[in-house]
Amino acid sequence: MIGLLRRDLALAIRAGGGFGLGLAFFLIVVTLVPFGVGPDTAILGRIAPGILWLGALLACLLSLDRILALDWEDGSLDLLATAPIPLEGVVVMKAAAHWLTTGLPLVLAAPALGVLMNLPGPGYGWLTLSLALGTPALSVIGAFGAALTVGLKRGGLLLSLLVLPLYVPTLIFGAEVARRGAEGLVIGAALPLLAGISLACIALMPFAAAAAIRVNLR
Amino acid sequence: MIGLLRRDLALAIRAGGGFGLGLAFFLIVVTLVPFGVGPDTAILGRIAPGILWLGALLACLLSLDRILALDWEDGSLDLLATAPIPLEGVVVMKAAAHWLTTGLPLVLAAPALGVLMNLPGPGYGWLTLSLALGTPALSVIGAFGAALTVGLKRGGLLLSLLVLPLYVPTLIFGAEVARRGAEGLVIGAALPLLAGISLACIALMPFAAAAAIRVNLR
Amino acid sequence: MSSMWEYANPKRFMQLSGTVLPWVSGLAALCLIVGLYWGFFLTPDDFRQGSTVKIIYLHVPSALMAINAWIMMLVTSLVWLIRRHHVSALAARAAAPVGATFTVIALATGAIWGQPMWGTWWVWDPRLTSFLILFLFYLGYIALWEAVEDPDTAADLTSVLCLVGSVFALMSRYAVLFWNQGLHQGATLSLDKEENISDVFYFPLLVSIAGFVLLFVALVLLRTRTEIRARRLRALIARERMA
Amino acid sequence: MLTVTGLACARGGLPILENVSFALAAGDSLVLRGPNGIGKTTLLRVLAGLQPPVAGEIDCAPDMIAYAGHVDGIKSMLSVTENLRFWARVFGMREIAPALASFDLEALADRLAGTLSAGQKRRLGLARLMVTGRPIWMLDEPTVSLDSASTALFAAAVRRHCAGGGAALMATHIDLGLSAETLDLTPYRAVLSAPSADGFDEAFL
Amino acid sequence: MLTVTGLACARGGLPILENVSFALAAGDSLVLRGPNGIGKTTLLRVLAGLQPPVAGEIDCAPDMIAYAGHVDGIKSMLSVTENLRFWARVFGMREIAPALASFDLEALADRLAGTLSAGQKRRLGLARLMVTGRPIWMLDEPTVSLDSASTALFAAAVRRHCAGGGAALMATHIDLGLSAETLDLTPYRAVLSAPSADGFDEAFL
Amino acid sequence: MMPDLGKYATEVLSAYVVSLALIVVLVLISWRQSQVVRARLREVERRRDPDG
Ligand code: HEM
Ligand SMILES: Nc1ncnc2c1ncn2[C@@H]1O[C@H](COP(=O)(O)OP(=O)(O)OP(=O)(O)O)[C@@H](O)[C@H]1O
Ligand SMILES: Nc1ncnc2c1ncn2[C@@H]1O[C@H](COP(=O)(O)OP(=O)(O)OP(=O)(O)O)[C@@H](O)[C@H]1O
Ligand SMILES: [Mg+2]
Ligand SMILES: [Mg+2]
């Protein structure tokens, strides 16, 4: 299974800088927001936590279809399904590779982008923490979505459509933690709830995803 | 060439509702924003034109890699390149199909979503107009990006990275028109500039895109 | 014999750059040390900006070179597209990370300067914004080079991207100006302007700019030599495998 | 090793093969034949456990089968060695040298798999079977794009595998030069029973 | 119709074939042979104009060639008829019935192409050639996955095409039962001249 | 020796440190790459042509 993780990381890096690209997309989204919204720093500061969370979410989303689609196309998934490792393990490893190449860099880069968005001072720590807790859930949920849509020739759009509603709770609590942090309020229940969602997703989603893959291979 | 357009439209519709999906993504992004940003209506109204434009842009972006990648994978692009229609024409038709399935529905749906975002009254007409003028440029620029990255197995991310900075002028002028419209200001030069960018892109980009495809097929 | 294109031949280029490189590097180091030392230690504080003027010796040269590096890439890309000299394409590839680094330096020093001057690290000022966009173009350009396997294909695609990108970078510049009138300094270095910055700051700045230019040239020469060698290495290995 | 009795398979909701029975013992190799569209691919996928059978029994531990389909599961951005080593790890094996040698891939070992020609890719796909360490090979048109020398390599590899106590089940249209039994699937084509006149039974059939 | 003189082609920056010369007249069919990786696919792509030659001349109007590569350009979400009709429109033709008939596709005409078996897909890919209306067919391993009956259909289609004044150039490893000339590419493998010792000439070779 | 930077010392110093660090890193990376590629090329050429 570690072999699978290593291969996926190698592929992500070799196939054009897996690490860099998610990050670059995040940077771009954050850059584009002021063009849309206007350069007023007060407003930008207000919406910064939410937009940073949304940007992270979209950066994750955009790379989701790589989780399984390539393996499906070249037949690797058929072969993995008949290999001596459980499909659940395959899903976990693929989600982990996705998180390492997309989620983790976002967590590390978020403070720098916070500067661009005039995030208020106390927000930086909370933003990073909330992303660190929340992005694993995004990757696992995304793996489930990828499993549902694997084999359908429809580009990422259907996948996004399925996955985005599932992202809503994570987004709400994550952005809430970041916003309260930025405004200096008490964080409250949002943080444990966010952590809880992540843990539950990591524990349960792989089974759903593996079941979906089995159905799709049929 | 019309045959190509018709085929692409048929494929978009059959392969999982091309029309619906871009729209649905737009809808979801726009609904997620209040979760991220918080439900304050005054702020939402302020940022509405910008967010709607950004949502449209991202919805376009997400479906870009379908413009050429599928045709590359199954060999159709090789065959189209040896067919008696010029590659430039192929690019135009593919961009047109993309616009019809993604840009046009967004234009039509934008007013409805404006309501969700508390877009101020006078903004609706201008938002629709700016999207109608701007989204064709998004599709053509996207086709160029797709041509650059066709044949690279790297999912949509590299494509986004290349295309998003190219979207900046269109986004700025488009959002500017929408914002000024919403705030009841004079629109001024932004509108003709937006139209000019769209026209220039439509006139010139297909040549660059066709050149990139030729290089990639080599 | 006298054609400048001769140096576009890799062999001639390797010879020439081999002899020139040590001199350029030495001169670059000299100018940088002199310029930055002069600027940092020997200039007075500005009456308005205090000691922060000293940042100008890093900020302005790096900003200038960040733009000029892109222009150089544009020219070499055109040469590659028109005359198909490999050295030209490889020089563009070699220059991109250097330009990107200069862009980062300009952004970082500007941001650090902004904190005391404007009270914020970052504002969406046109000059700053266009620089951020330039940085994005660098990123995309470098990513495309890395992503394409075949070197000639990569050269062609990145050249096309560079051309199209330049046009869009210009358009973005105007769009951004239209969108927001900013806080940033106007051009104070132009020769025909009345209120040029005073000579105390001016001369060390010039030396420092010369240092950055030479540093750029030296780095591009060095990296182009590496790229050429890597190309040959690739060809030789492929050939070994075929045999 | 593998015993199939009364197997029926469906594809796209329609039954296509019925009542297939055969047995494969250690050392056997069996060639599936039949016209295009008879259901060879479907049968192999059912046997490999990728798809449930409609009826009948497959008597075989699922971890004995190494399946190779129409596409090869090759990553074009990894080198030939890396591709093989990955599959070896997944199947808990170590050695990839014999696989490289059997399919004459040593010269290509460091090439990115994406730069191989069609036949070279297929050789790599077949070499993967040798690093699974599993006794039953199930191959769907293994010799597609192979030239005669490579086909001979493949036949030799199958012969060695069977001699070593393995078994092979292959669907193919061409002659492999193996002394294998053949099973023609034509007689097993499913006959659609007339749907029950009053409609609507459990499987809509 | 097609005359090739002294052609050299490269792949991945390396020359692989040199000095290939042949001519194809109306009514001719020529089979390219050679071991895996010799460069058949590359040669066909060069001739079809998808890739520039390194040296040599190709004397042929580019709009005379219909190319069919390793993959078929079939859209799985369109039916067989829709796929064919699309290509017919692109090439300015009308009739698709003869193409369907020649490759025995009538029974499958309304099926989505994605639900065809490997051989059925390939038949559809070959049927596409007939709706291009172009005189020179260039085929890269056309009979992959075809059973013997379909191979015979294909051979008959080629024979009819050549009898009607067309020509065909095919790369294949198996015997098609056509009375075609063959061109073995093995002797044309490019010999790499020793690279200049001090390196760095224009092409880095 | 050290000029008095007044209340902006951190800003000025950090600007210099960041810029010089970036420049040094870039120079080092370029230099290392050049050495690595040069060594590998030399090795391949020797392998190809042992006496030359
Ligand atoms: C992240 C923030 C900043 C960026 C990206 C930035 C970028 C630039 C650029 C692109 C130039 C133009 C070089 C040229 O075209 O000649 C420049 C020049 C200059 N900048 Fe900044 N800048 C930033 C912040 C600042 C700040 C905060 C100050 C001081 C208050 C400042 C002062 C100057 C000065 C004095 C020049 C020289 C103007 C001239 O002579 O043309 N910059 N900067
Ligand atoms: N989704 C589907 N709906 C209906 N029929 C289908 C579907 N998918 C496949 N089929 C049919 O099932 C049959 C069996 O296909 P299969 O791929 O198993 O054939 P095969 O024997 O492998 O043929 P080949 O030699 O061409 O590879 C074919 O007739 C095919 O047309
Ligand atoms: N990017 C590349 N870099 C180096 N060599 C390559 C590259 N792509 C292909 N080749 C080599 O070029 C040669 C020609 O490949 P080509 O696909 O033309 O062979 P082919 O004759 O069609 O073989 P097959 O019968 O297996 O289809 C092969 O040896 C292949 O390994
Ligand atoms: Mg089959
Ligand atoms: Mg081939």
Side-chain angles (χ1 to χ4, degrees):
Chain A
M1 304 234 288
I2 300 301
L4 184 58
L5 181 64
R6 287 219 324 235
R7 179 191 72 152
D8 276 11
L9 290 179
L11 281 173
I13 291 165
R14 223 171 284 178
F19 283 100
L21 283 177
L23 209 55
F25 179 77
F26 189 32
L27 172 65
I28 293 175
V29 168
V30 172
T31 319
L32 290 185
V33 167
F35 294 135
V37 171
D40 181 336
T41 41
I43 287 201
L44 283 178
R46 275 292 306 267
I47 64 174
I51 297 293
L52 286 168
W53 250 95
L54 263 178
L57 194 151
L58 291 173
C60 264
L61 193 70
L62 211 60
S63 48
L64 280 187
D65 62 346
R66 279 200 317 192
I67 295 186
L68 293 172
L70 294 181
D71 277 341
W72 159 269
E73 270 161 31
D74 64 17
S76 303
L77 205 56
D78 281 351
L79 303 179
L80 283 173
T82 57
I85 48 182
L87 257 185
E88 286 78 7
V90 172
V91 172
V92 171
M93 285 303 134
K94 297 215 148 259
H98 181 258
W99 185 73
L100 286 175
T101 51
T102 319
L104 185 61
L106 293 188
V107 173
L108 300 178
L113 294 176
V115 174
L116 288 185
M117 294 285 296
N118 292 291
L119 186 71
Y124 289 90
W126 291 112
L127 176 68
T128 313
L129 180 65
S130 66
L131 281 174
L133 284 178
T135 44
L138 298 185
S139 288
V140 187
I141 298 174
F144 170 63
L148 280 181
T149 53
V150 74
L152 308 177
K153 294 239 164 222
R154 1 222 110 170
L157 227 37
L158 176 59
L159 175 56
S160 320
L161 193 58
L162 290 177
V163 160
L164 275 174
L166 300 180
Y167 277 176
V168 169
T170 318
L171 174 69
I172 291 180
F173 292 121
E176 185 77 7
V177 170
R179 196 175 68 207
R180 292 188 168 223
E183 291 173 9
L185 305 173
V186 190
I187 306 298
L191 195 64
L193 282 173
L194 180 64
I197 288 180
S198 263
L199 283 180
C201 286
I202 295 174
L204 299 177
M205 278 301 197
F207 295 96
I213 294 180
R214 278 202 199 89
V215 171
N216 266 328
L217 285 184
R218 216 141 70 186
Chain B
M1 303 234 288
I2 299 301
L4 185 58
L5 181 64
R6 285 215 328 230
R7 180 191 71 151
D8 276 10
L9 290 178
L11 280 174
I13 292 165
R14 229 173 278 181
F19 282 102
L21 282 177
L23 207 55
F25 177 78
F26 188 36
L27 174 67
I28 291 178
V29 168
V30 171
T31 41
L32 285 185
V33 167
F35 290 125
V37 170
D40 180 339
T41 41
I43 286 204
L44 282 180
R46 274 291 307 268
I47 65 176
I51 295 293
L52 286 169
W53 249 94
L54 268 175
L57 193 153
L58 292 173
C60 262
L61 192 71
L62 209 62
S63 48
L64 280 187
D65 63 345
R66 279 202 318 196
I67 295 187
L68 293 172
L70 294 180
D71 276 343
W72 160 270
E73 271 161 32
D74 65 15
S76 303
L77 205 55
D78 281 351
L79 303 178
L80 283 173
T82 57
I85 48 181
L87 257 184
E88 285 79 7
V90 172
V91 173
V92 171
M93 285 304 135
K94 297 219 146 253
H98 180 258
W99 184 74
L100 287 175
T101 52
T102 319
L104 186 61
L106 294 188
V107 173
L108 300 179
L113 293 175
V115 176
L116 285 184
M117 295 280 297
N118 291 296
L119 187 71
Y124 289 89
W126 291 111
L127 177 69
T128 314
L129 180 63
S130 67
L131 281 173
L133 282 178
T135 42
L138 299 186
S139 289
V140 188
I141 297 174
F144 169 66
L148 279 182
T149 52
V150 75
L152 306 178
K153 293 238 163 216
R154 6 226 104 171
L157 272 178
L158 177 61
L159 175 56
S160 321
L161 181 59
L162 295 178
V163 158
L164 274 175
L166 301 178
Y167 278 173
V168 168
T170 317
L171 173 64
I172 290 182
F173 290 125
E176 187 78 8
V177 169
R179 194 175 70 205
R180 292 188 175 213
E183 292 172 10
L185 305 173
V186 190
I187 305 298
L191 195 64
L193 283 173
L194 180 65
I197 287 181
S198 264
L199 282 181
C201 285
I202 294 172
L204 299 177
M205 280 306 217
F207 295 96
I213 294 180
R214 275 198 203 93
V215 170
N216 265 325
L217 285 184
R218 222 151 58 190
Chain C
M1 270 292 105
S2 60
S3 159
M4 66 169 276
W5 296 121
E6 220 170 275
Y7 298 107
N9 174 286
K11 203 162 142 191
R12 292 298 311 269
F13 178 86
M14 289 304 279
Q15 284 167 356
L16 182 76
S17 63
T19 44
V20 166
L21 184 56
W23 296 98
V24 180
S25 321
L27 213 56
L30 184 72
C31 285
L32 273 180
I33 290 169
V34 169
L36 292 181
Y37 185 88
W38 187 353
F40 191 80
F41 291 103
L42 308 179
T43 54
D45 288 357
D46 186 67
F47 67 96
R48 246 183 309 130
Q49 312 194 351
S51 61
T52 56
V53 273
K54 295 190 193 301
I55 297 179
I56 205 173
Y57 309 112
L58 294 167
H59 178 74
V60 172
S62 55
L64 274 176
M65 286 320 292
I67 295 169
N68 288 343
W70 184 272
I71 293 173
M72 177 228 144
M73 281 158 54
L74 175 60
V75 172
T76 45
S77 295
L78 275 172
V79 170
W80 159 253
L81 284 182
I82 295 165
R83 307 210 33 152
R84 316 276 320 161
H85 291 307
H86 285 83
V87 174
S88 191
L90 293 179
R93 177 178 192 173
V98 185
T101 311
F102 285 159
T103 316
V104 174
I105 294 178
L107 283 171
T109 51
I112 293 170
W113 203 349
Q115 179 61 21
M117 289 302 104
W118 304 332
T120 167
W121 299 97
W122 182 263
V123 283
W124 290 94
D125 163 278
R127 186 87 72 103
L128 279 58
T129 310
S130 353
F131 239 62
L132 196 58
I133 297 171
L134 180 64
F135 181 57
L136 295 181
F137 276 116
Y138 273 121
L139 283 186
Y141 181 87
I142 294 170
L144 189 59
W145 261 114
E146 294 301 320
V148 183
E149 196 54 39
D150 180 68
D152 280 359
T153 307
D156 280 329
L157 293 177
T158 50
S159 300
V160 172
L161 177 68
C162 188
L163 294 191
V164 173
S166 303
V167 175
F168 275 84
L170 264 182
M171 285 208 295
S172 309
R173 177 107 183 87
Y174 286 107
V176 164
L177 273 175
F178 180 89
W179 166 72
N180 185 13
Q181 321 290 339
L183 294 164
H184 196 279
Q185 224 89 357
T188 38
L189 275 190
S190 56
L191 293 174
D192 49 58
K193 233 177 161 187
E194 295 292 294
E195 35 146 343
N196 258 336
I197 53 172
S198 63
D199 290 353
V200 208
F201 304 125
Y202 191 59
F203 291 114
L205 181 56
L206 279 190
V207 179
S208 167
I209 289 178
F212 269 80
V213 173
L214 288 168
L215 175 68
F216 175 75
V217 173
L219 278 172
V220 169
L221 284 181
L222 176 67
R223 297 181 63 94
T224 311
R225 285 167 67 78
T226 308
E227 295 291 347
I228 291 175
R229 288 209 175 96
R231 241 345 252 284
R232 179 167 161 81
L233 182 66
R234 196 190 137 92
L236 288 181
I237 288 178
R239 187 189 274 263
E240 261 178 10
R241 288 197 186 135
M242 225 174 95
Chain D
M1 292 176 103
L2 170 73
T3 318
V4 172
T5 30
L7 192 72
C9 358
R11 184 77 185 273
L14 286 181
I16 52 170
L17 285 176
E18 256 174 11
N19 226 345
V20 181
S21 305
F22 64 90
L24 205 63
D28 279 3
S29 57
L30 179 64
V31 170
L32 293 178
R33 292 200 176 271
N36 287 142
I38 188 72
K40 300 180 292 299
T41 301
T42 312
L43 178 60
L44 288 177
R45 288 181 70 87
V46 169
L47 294 177
L50 288 166
Q51 195 181 319
V54 173
E57 265 175 46
I58 306 168
D59 182 16
C60 171
D63 63 354
M64 294 184 50
I65 297 177
Y67 168 77
H70 283 301
V71 278
D72 287 318
I74 291 171
K75 290 291 167 192
S76 52
M77 293 304 293
L78 297 181
S79 73
V80 170
T81 326
E82 287 168 324
N83 267 297
L84 272 186
R85 193 161 287 146
F86 166 67
W87 287 114
R89 283 187 67 127
V90 165
F91 284 89
M93 304 282 287
R94 245 126 255 285
E95 280 289 290
I96 62 161
L100 284 175
S102 300
F103 287 94
D104 194 17
L105 289 166
E106 284 111 337
L108 304 169
D110 295 326
R111 278 264 287 278
L112 286 188
T115 67
L116 299 180
S117 81
Q120 292 165 339
K121 263 192 198 130
R122 184 93 298 217
R123 290 216 301 267
L124 173 54
L126 293 174
R128 187 188 60 85
L129 290 170
M130 300 196 55
V131 302
T132 58
R134 291 193 162 176
I136 308 182
W137 288 0
M138 294 211 172
L139 310 173
D140 203 353
E141 307 201 38
T143 56
V144 155
S145 335
L146 292 186
D147 61 15
S148 46
S150 308
T151 310
L153 281 180
F154 166 69
V158 170
R159 244 179 262 119
R160 262 200 314 281
H161 178 67
C162 292
L169 181 61
M170 292 161 282
T172 182
H173 296 295
I174 64 169
D175 188 25
L176 300 176
L178 280 172
S179 59
E181 291 170 72
T182 55
L183 173 70
D184 193 330
L185 290 178
T186 322
Y188 303 104
R189 164 172 277 149
V191 199
L192 283 177
S193 52
S196 50
D198 58 346
F200 313 119
D201 58 359
E202 184 62 35
F204 297 100
L205 290 176
Chain E
M1 290 173 103
L2 169 72
T3 317
V4 172
T5 29
L7 192 71
C9 359
R11 183 79 184 274
L14 283 181
I16 52 170
L17 286 175
E18 256 174 12
N19 227 345
V20 182
S21 305
F22 63 90
L24 205 63
D28 280 3
S29 57
L30 180 64
V31 169
L32 293 179
R33 291 200 176 271
N36 286 142
I38 188 73
K40 300 179 293 298
T41 301
T42 312
L43 178 61
L44 288 178
R45 287 181 70 87
V46 168
L47 293 177
L50 288 167
Q51 194 182 319
V54 174
E57 266 177 44
I58 304 168
D59 183 16
C60 172
D63 63 355
M64 294 182 53
I65 296 176
Y67 168 77
H70 282 301
V71 277
D72 288 318
I74 292 172
K75 290 292 168 194
S76 51
M77 294 305 293
L78 296 182
S79 74
V80 169
T81 327
E82 285 168 325
N83 267 296
L84 272 186
R85 193 163 285 148
F86 165 67
W87 286 112
R89 283 188 68 130
V90 165
F91 285 87
M93 305 281 287
R94 250 134 251 278
E95 280 288 290
I96 62 160
L100 284 176
S102 300
F103 288 93
D104 194 17
L105 289 166
E106 285 110 336
L108 303 169
D110 295 325
R111 278 265 285 277
L112 285 189
T115 66
L116 299 181
S117 81
Q120 293 164 339
K121 262 192 198 132
R122 184 92 296 215
R123 291 217 301 267
L124 172 55
L126 293 174
R128 186 188 59 86
L129 290 168
M130 299 195 58
V131 302
T132 60
R134 291 194 163 173
I136 307 183
W137 288 359
M138 292 209 174
L139 311 174
D140 203 352
E141 308 200 36
T143 56
V144 156
S145 342
L146 291 187
D147 62 14
S148 47
S150 307
T151 310
L153 281 179
F154 166 69
V158 170
R159 244 179 260 117
R160 262 199 316 280
H161 178 66
C162 291
L169 182 62
M170 291 160 282
T172 181
H173 295 296
I174 64 169
D175 190 26
L176 300 177
L178 280 171
S179 59
E181 289 170 73
T182 56
L183 174 70
D184 192 331
L185 288 179
T186 323
Y188 302 104
R189 163 173 277 151
V191 197
L192 287 175
S193 53
S196 52
D198 57 346
F200 312 121
D201 57 357
E202 183 63 37
F204 298 97
L205 290 174
Chain F
M1 178 65 223
M2 193 67 189
D4 177 22
L5 297 171
K7 57 178 173 170
Y8 298 131
T10 11
E11 277 84 7
V12 178
L13 283 177
S14 59
Y16 273 78
V17 168
V18 167
S19 314
L20 292 179
L22 279 169
I23 290 175
V24 167
V25 166
L26 179 65
V27 169
L28 281 185
I29 288 178
S30 308
W31 176 254
R32 243 194 77 76
Q33 267 176 356
S34 119
Q35 293 307 100
V36 167
V37 171
R38 187 200 291 240
R40 282 178 48 200
L41 183 60
R42 211 173 271 151
E43 200 221 319
V44 171
E45 273 179 343
R46 205 183 40 236
R47 204 187 316 153
R48 197 170 52 87
D49 180 17
D51 26 75

